[in-house]
Amino acid sequence: MRRQGPHRRHGGPARHPGEPARRRHPPHIHHHADEFVYVLDGTMEVDFDGTTHRLTPGMCALLPHGIPHALRNASQPPARCLQISAPGGWEEFVEDMCEAGPVVRKGGHPDLDRLNEIGAKYGMEYHG
């Protein structure tokens, strides 16, 4: 389902759904957008600038564009986070990934070639 409305291309809020424990978003770079992650429940780990940061409820991370980082859930039940990107567009990347379905995974792991193919128009670049 595509999100409609005034926030669609302007950095509107997007809630990051929790994921199974230890599933991670591979290291990646946002070339155009800064990313802000605020933990509502559970624990998230953020790899940034060579260090792993453990975020618990009420903590946040600002991940500037152009800087590689990785995120992963570190709790059961899964963490719930508020994720905001500015300028907008990240939510459309997520929608395109969801529409692509299981083809973004290969052998149970993220298919970096497919993720980069989808992410190119949004300034997203994934690394192994």
Side-chain angles (χ1 to χ4, degrees), residues 19-103:
E19 295 188 346
R22 309 314 276 174
R23 181 172 286 177
R24 56 176 270 192
H25 296 271
H28 61 281
I29 298 171
H30 304 259
H31 289 288
H32 309 298
D34 295 326
E35 181 176 12
F36 175 81
V37 178
Y38 179 85
V39 177
L40 300 167
D41 296 305
T43 303
M44 290 290 293
E45 290 180 343
V46 179
D47 296 332
F48 177 77
D49 202 22
T51 303
T52 298
H53 304 271
R54 195 166 178 84
L55 304 178
T56 56
M59 296 177 79
C60 62
L62 176 61
L63 306 165
H65 69 281
I67 307 294
H69 60 278
L71 304 162
R72 74 185 147 277
N73 180 57
S75 62
Q76 275 299 345
R80 288 187 325 118
C81 300
L82 177 69
Q83 188 276 344
I84 301 170
S85 292
W90 181 84
E91 69 281 5
E92 292 179 16
F93 168 68
V94 171
E95 290 168 354
D96 285 353
M97 281 197 327
C98 290
E99 287 176 6
V103 299

